[in-house]
Amino acid sequence: MMIGEFNAASQVFEEALQHAPLFLPYRYNLGICYLYLNRLDLALMHFTKAQQLVPEYNKIYLQIGYIYDRKNDETRALDYFTRALQLNPNELNTYILIGDIYFKRNQVNIARRYYEKALKIDPVYPNGLLGLAKIHFQKEEYIKAIVLFKSIDTNRSYDKSLHYYYAES
């Protein structure tokens, strides 16, 4: 998985699950493999089984929400992201995922709240700053957007859509 060989890794996890079907790491990582292979229904099945094994593991809810988001079922995605947030309110990416759905729905004030909640936890969180910058960009407040874009530390992990918005501004 570490080198991007998700097809080979999925075969290894499938075989391992035959010997230990209740072992969460095999089930969860198999779901990740299928997610990367764009086999969303299989990924969803494995994440759902993982959820039944360890319902308090918040990352399972993130992955299921992500699958529903990719399937354009934003309501279900929000349900799962919200559950993940209840389980771990310090997971910054969850705030961004929720904010991005509201941004896509053009519910900018709600999106802003979620981006700002992430920034309360980490004031320089790149994706939180990007979320606010996207809002300014949409409102044609280009100077504010550029200031936020320039403040993003690209040495940290960040959403690569930054480059699109920065180029457009």
Side-chain angles (χ1 to χ4, degrees), residues 71-128:
K71 290 181 162 208
N72 294 316
D73 189 342
E74 293 175 346
T75 302
R76 277 191 177 166
L78 281 172
D79 289 343
Y80 279 95
F81 292 152
T82 301
R83 180 69 179 129
L85 202 53
Q86 291 168 346
L87 291 170
N88 184 1
N90 293 317
E91 178 72 43
L92 297 175
N93 194 44
T94 310
Y95 291 103
I96 304 309
L97 291 168
I98 294 171
D100 286 348
I101 288 176
Y102 285 114
F103 182 79
K104 284 190 287 188
R105 290 179 169 183
N106 205 28
Q107 294 175 296
V108 178
N109 290 332
I110 299 172
R112 176 188 299 275
R113 277 193 298 232
Y114 280 96
Y115 297 142
E116 287 174 345
K117 285 179 183 180
L119 290 169
K120 280 185 183 175
I121 297 169
D122 181 353
V124 292
Y125 183 56
N127 292 341

Side-chain angles (χ1 to χ4, degrees), residues 15-71:
E15 188 174 316
L17 277 174
Q18 290 178 5
H19 303 288
L22 300 179
F23 190 55
L24 175 71
Y26 293 161
R27 183 77 58 194
Y28 180 83
N29 286 318
L30 184 55
I32 294 290
C33 289
Y34 286 134
L35 189 59
Y36 276 96
L37 293 170
N38 204 32
R39 298 176 71 184
L40 300 181
D41 291 330
L42 268 175
L44 181 60
M45 180 194 70
H46 286 288
F47 288 130
T48 302
K49 287 182 178 184
Q51 176 190 12
Q52 292 169 355
L53 292 172
V54 184
E56 64 274 7
Y57 186 48
N58 74 299
K59 293 203 183 287
I60 296 169
Y61 296 89
L62 280 176
Q63 300 301 342
I64 294 173
Y66 180 69
I67 290 170
Y68 282 122
D69 191 29
R70 285 187 52 190
K71 290 181 162 208

